[in-house]
Amino acid sequence: MRYISSQLERNIRIVALSSSISNAKDIAQWLSCGTTSFFNFHPNVRPVPLELHIQGLNVSHNASRILAMAKPTYQAIVRHSPKRPVAVFVPSRKQTRLTAIDILTFAAADMQPGPDDKPQSTFLHVAESDLDPFLDKISDKTLKETLTNGVGYLHEGLSDREKKVVEQLFNTGAIQVVVVSRNLAWGVNITSHLVIVMDTQYYDGKTHSYEDYPVTDVLQMIGKANRPLQDKDAKAVILCQSSKKEFFKKFLYEPLPIESHLDHCLHDHFCAEVVTKTIENKQDAVDYLTWTFIYRRMTQNPNYYNLQGVSHRHLSDHLSELVENTINDLEQSKCISIEDDMDVTPLNLGMIAAYYYINYTTIELFSMSLNNKTKIKGLIEIIASAAEYENIPIRHGENNILKQLATRLPNKLTNPKYNDPHIKTNLLLQAHLSRMTLSAELQSDTEDILGKAIRLIQACVDVLSSNGWLSPALAAMELAQMCTQAMWGKDSYLKQLPHFTSEIIKRCKDKGHDTIFDIMEMEDDERNALLQLNDSQMADVARFSNRYPNIELTYEVQDKEQIRSGSGINVSVTLEREDEIVGPVIAPFFPQSREEGWWVVIGDTKTNSLLSIKRLTLQQKAKVKLDFVAPNAGHYNYTIYFMSDAYMGCDQEYKFTVNVKEGDSDSDGSDSN
């Protein structure tokens, strides 16, 4: 089946509300407008007819079948597209290199000697000297060699620059063949005359078995055979196991129904809609579903959605049951509350989940796992267990690599299962904080993990502050800094500075310079002599130093002499940035661009209590007010914490005291007389 994503479902709903869609037929037309509008706006471009060949091999062993497909792949190139561009899709990164070498090996056997008795390259359509400027940008020696013979390969392990070079050489016709890994089917910017899908199974590390490609992936690969301005036709060859041949015939030659997946993620949609008060009772939830694509498809394909019939009664009962189960699950996870068995209202956990766009099971996990003694190690374990990381891939043989990696990390795990994506997430987070060099695949996985980590950490801060726990909330804020700068809390703050090696940091500490402000305040000659960096490196250091936050904080406890037990304590905090340059956080080890954020916290270290918290962004100047209820009469020591979520070493602490007097409890009694 081809599924429709929840994002697309949301788009359909938006268009429906704008009256562009009123029925299922309109949805079908809207979905197809991406291609029809292209041909309407480009009258000289017409759809390219596709000639599809499906070839089965009667070999059940996966590795043997891949080997057996090498010769048919080369023969398909020679037969169907001897001079025009060819894209070959293979299951794994390793196979891209092997297949490229196999194709060149078969081609070398068929080549005729040139004038100088050297074989003439079949697939290279420019002079070798013309490739030199491009080859200089490539560090992969094997890729350099194959490109000089007209065959390139693309996989997730190549750098962005290398990928762009190969794509450019292929799209301009300099090289004729490119071999692409399955994972890049949706990410490469190439089109060809012939596409060859070399096997249709991949290894799933979680199940330890070979799984079939989704039909949508196969369609995406075949869709790369599409050059309407250059070709009058396109060709595709699918090489697969013989038993799969009829399956692909059926689903590739016949139209595919588009089905909804909304019921797989309905909890998070309902939670968000309850928070925004779009849904205020169970009847609103049912009405909400009638505006979605899943409602249109239920009557068209009832078996797929487990309906017993298509009558109005069957449909109504199914929707009611779906809503009832979903609402009950949200209530059990303490995201919403149900009143009078009908009305629904959002709770604090639901608001946090909706605000940070995280799974309802994740916020339930945070609520159950976090406590007033949680430290950095526990925070990493809890965040790594989030539902957002369930789909982190485990590749063939990767459990052995992770096992070796675990021995080099500071936080040891008890009886870890290395084929568990949550264990892998924990290890890669630790490796990131340790700035370890990882393979291309693991680095790619780390970037995916970090892309979600900051909002998960911020959600942890909200859960902890809601419970009034000070030290774990501060630890979570510190973890956000650590993930952004790829450092452990015990590391020197100087490690954030570009080009600062361990030797330079040691020289600085020996001279008594422990903070970035110490480096900034040094005289130029003294700094140059100490750091021993060239002009370009010093410019990078200066750029970071200018962006490093230098913020002055002042505070005032309002009506300090009039505070009585049970009344409110109001603290006004003024923040002013002394440095003028404001911009994205400089964090070369963090995969995404992000803006800096801040927390202002008032806490009582003696009781480990977080009394008030505000999150803010700061341009040049800001003023925030924090308030909390005065405790029983007595003398109290409080601390204001000003915490960054991106830079280490720029946090501030200010202690202040409050003398709380007895509340005026007799006033009500005297008034009543």
Side-chain angles (χ1 to χ4, degrees):
M1 291 293 180
R2 184 191 298 174
Y3 301 117
I4 185 168
S5 70
S6 57
Q7 180 65 44
L8 182 55
E9 182 127 20
R10 192 172 188 175
N11 292 342
I12 291 176
R13 184 165 179 260
I14 292 170
V15 178
L17 291 173
S18 67
S19 302
S20 300
I21 288 178
S22 59
N23 52 48
K25 183 178 179 182
D26 290 343
I27 292 176
Q29 291 175 347
W30 181 79
L31 285 170
S32 64
C33 72
T35 52
T36 56
S37 61
F38 176 80
F39 295 122
N40 289 339
F41 286 113
H42 299 79
N44 296 325
V45 178
R46 291 291 177 265
V48 178
L50 177 69
E51 181 182 315
L52 179 61
H53 302 267
I54 302 177
Q55 182 176 343
L57 280 76
N58 195 22
V59 181
S60 58
H61 185 252
N62 187 273
S64 302
R65 188 169 62 251
I66 287 284
L67 288 173
M69 287 177 177
K71 186 66 180 284
T73 297
Y74 173 72
Q75 290 172 338
I77 295 172
V78 173
R79 178 181 176 186
H80 297 295
S81 190
K83 295 296 181 183
R84 287 185 281 188
V86 180
V88 182
F89 287 93
V90 296
S92 65
R93 167 192 174 182
K94 180 180 179 182
Q95 196 59 45
T96 57
R97 183 184 288 108
L98 296 176
T99 299
I101 294 172
D102 286 342
I103 290 172
L104 288 175
T105 302
F106 289 120
D110 286 351
M111 285 181 194
Q112 298 298 323
D116 54 355
D117 291 333
K118 289 181 64 179
Q120 294 177 325
S121 179
T122 308
F123 303 122
L124 184 64
H125 300 313
V126 295
E128 280 192 36
S129 57
D130 294 337
L131 291 178
D132 291 342
F134 299 95
L135 298 181
D136 292 340
K137 300 176 182 178
I138 293 175
S139 56
D140 188 323
K141 293 182 180 179
T142 307
L143 180 57
K144 278 186 179 181
E145 185 66 28
T146 60
L147 285 174
T148 57
N149 291 282
V151 177
Y153 53 81
L154 292 166
H155 56 70
E156 55 273 29
L158 297 177
S159 67
D160 290 338
R161 185 170 69 169
E162 289 173 325
K163 290 177 186 175
K164 287 178 182 177
V165 167
V166 176
E167 287 178 0
Q168 186 177 355
L169 290 174
F170 181 73
N171 288 331
T172 56
I175 62 174
Q176 185 184 338
V177 181
V178 64
V179 185
V180 187
S181 67
R182 176 191 69 90
N183 289 334
L184 291 185
W186 296 86
V188 290
N189 182 27
I190 60 171
T191 55
S192 65
H193 173 251
L194 169 66
V195 165
I196 301 173
V197 180
M198 193 172 164
D199 204 24
T200 58
Q201 289 187 328
Y202 69 98
Y203 182 80
D204 188 340
K206 284 185 280 189
T207 61
H208 292 287
S209 62
Y210 288 93
E211 304 290 339
D212 291 326
Y213 288 0
V215 177
T216 45
D217 283 7
V218 178
L219 288 170
Q220 174 68 10
M221 295 172 188
I222 293 173
K224 294 297 181 182
N226 178 27
R227 300 196 308 161
L229 295 176
Q230 293 102 322
D231 300 325
K232 293 182 179 179
D233 64 349
K235 297 183 179 181
V237 176
I238 296 178
L239 303 174
C240 62
Q241 193 174 353
S242 297
S243 59
K244 305 291 181 185
K245 189 172 179 180
E246 293 302 318
F247 170 83
F248 283 108
K249 272 187 182 179
K250 175 178 175 58
F251 282 101
L252 295 178
Y253 283 111
E254 297 178 9
L256 276 177
I258 298 178
E259 300 297 353
S260 173
H261 244 182
L262 181 62
D263 52 338
H264 292 230
C265 53
L266 193 57
H267 296 80
D268 298 324
H269 282 261
F270 273 9
C271 182
E273 300 297 352
V274 170
V275 169
T276 58
K277 298 194 181 304
T278 303
I279 294 175
E280 295 184 324
N281 54 59
K282 292 180 181 179
Q283 185 57 49
D284 287 346
V286 175
D287 294 341
Y288 172 90
L289 287 177
T290 62
W291 281 91
T292 61
F293 185 62
I294 191 173
Y295 181 75
R296 311 295 178 189
R297 288 302 305 167
M298 280 180 175
T299 54
Q300 303 299 315
N301 194 356
N303 288 336
Y304 181 78
Y305 299 100
N306 297 321
L307 263 73
Q308 304 301 317
V310 293
S311 68
H312 179 75
R313 181 60 182 270
H314 283 108
L315 194 59
S316 177
D317 289 347
H318 183 79
L319 289 178
S320 298
E321 183 183 0
L322 189 60
V323 166
E324 190 76 28
N325 292 337
T326 305
I327 294 293
N328 288 339
D329 288 345
L330 288 174
E331 184 190 29
Q332 290 177 9
S333 63
K334 298 181 181 178
C335 289
I336 66 172
S337 65
I338 304 175
E339 300 171 4
D340 301 327
D341 200 34
M342 176 57 71
D343 297 331
V344 293
T345 54
L347 297 178
N348 184 56
L349 292 180
M351 293 178 186
I352 296 172
Y355 182 82
Y356 291 108
Y357 196 60
I358 61 178
N359 194 286
Y360 82 104
T361 58
T362 298
I363 202 70
E364 182 182 16
L365 169 75
F366 289 174
S367 176
M368 295 172 62
S369 303
L370 294 168
N371 58 58
N372 61 349
K373 297 181 180 178
T374 304
K375 293 183 171 56
I376 293 290
K377 180 180 179 180
L379 283 167
I380 293 175
E381 291 179 359
I382 292 168
I383 289 167
S385 301
E388 280 72 9
Y389 296 133
E390 285 178 353
N391 295 321
I392 296 296
I394 306 290
R395 299 175 187 84
H396 191 24
E398 204 168 64
N399 54 339
N400 294 324
I401 298 173
L402 295 175
K403 189 175 182 179
Q404 294 175 1
L405 179 64
T407 61
R408 301 159 53 200
L409 297 172
N411 295 342
K412 306 304 179 186
L413 305 179
T414 305
N415 299 323
K417 296 179 180 178
Y418 293 106
N419 62 338
D420 183 343
H422 300 296
I423 295 297
K424 178 177 178 179
T425 299
N426 188 318
L427 297 176
L428 292 184
L429 276 174
Q430 290 193 59
H432 169 70
L433 299 180
S434 303
R435 295 191 181 181
M436 289 185 177
T437 302
L438 303 173
S439 66
E441 290 95 340
L442 291 180
Q443 187 60 44
S444 175
D445 294 337
T446 303
E447 292 176 3
D448 290 341
I449 290 167
L450 292 172
K452 301 171 184 175
I454 296 299
R455 55 189 172 91
L456 291 172
I457 293 171
Q458 290 172 344
C460 283
V461 172
D462 284 12
V463 172
L464 290 164
S465 59
S466 299
N467 286 287
W469 297 328
L470 178 63
S471 60
L474 296 176
M477 297 172 191
E478 186 181 0
L479 182 58
Q481 303 171 6
M482 291 161 52
C483 286
T484 304
Q485 296 296 339
M487 292 168 54
W488 290 98
K490 58 181 174 53
D491 292 338
S492 169
Y493 297 145
L494 299 178
K495 196 174 180 180
Q496 298 171 92
L497 286 161
H499 313 298
F500 267 52
T501 61
S502 55
E503 291 79 8
I504 295 177
I505 293 173
K506 184 177 185 303
R507 287 204 302 268
C508 292
K509 294 181 77 171
D510 290 343
K511 293 288 185 178
H513 303 301
D514 295 324
T515 70
I516 294 173
F517 294 115
D518 293 340
I519 302 297
M520 294 166 63
E521 291 167 0
M522 293 174 66
E523 295 295 332
D524 290 348
D525 293 341
E526 183 187 359
R527 186 191 302 116
N528 292 337
L530 179 64
L531 303 184
Q532 300 174 18
L533 298 174
N534 59 40
D535 292 344
S536 174
Q537 293 171 331
M538 285 300 296
D540 291 338
V541 173
R543 176 171 161 268
F544 181 93
S545 300
N546 291 333
R547 190 73 59 82
Y548 191 72
N550 185 8
I551 297 167
E552 182 180 351
L553 183 149
T554 57
Y555 68 93
E556 179 186 2
V557 182
Q558 297 179 353
D559 299 325
K560 188 173 182 179
E561 304 302 324
Q562 306 299 323
I563 298 174
R564 296 183 180 277
S565 177
S567 65
I569 299 178
N570 297 299
V571 181
S572 176
V573 178
T574 302
L575 304 163
E576 187 169 359
R577 188 185 290 271
E578 295 186 2
D579 48 310
E580 298 181 357
I581 302 175
V582 182
V585 174
I586 298 180
F589 293 92
F590 195 78
Q592 300 173 348
S593 175
R594 55 174 304 228
E595 301 296 325
E596 64 181 55
W598 300 87
W599 287 281
V600 182
V601 178
I602 295 179
D604 184 347
T605 55
K606 187 176 180 180
T607 60
N608 190 27
S609 300
L610 189 151
L611 303 171
S612 186
I613 182 171
K614 286 285 177 68
R615 178 164 169 77
L616 70 149
T617 56
L618 177 64
Q619 293 301 315
Q620 293 299 331
K621 195 171 183 179
K623 191 171 184 178
V624 294
K625 290 186 177 180
L626 296 96
D627 57 84
F628 56 98
V629 177
N632 296 329
H635 194 74
Y636 294 92
N637 297 314
Y638 296 125
T639 307
I640 296 175
Y641 298 90
F642 182 53
M643 304 288 292
S644 170
D645 71 348
Y647 293 103
M648 300 188 71
C650 57
D651 303 330
Q652 301 179 38
E653 291 183 22
Y654 296 88
K655 298 184 183 299
F656 68 96
T657 60
V658 171
N659 189 22
V660 180
K661 300 176 182 178
E662 289 286 352
D664 193 2
S665 58
D666 296 335
S667 59
D668 294 339
S670 60
D671 291 342
S672 63
N673 294 330

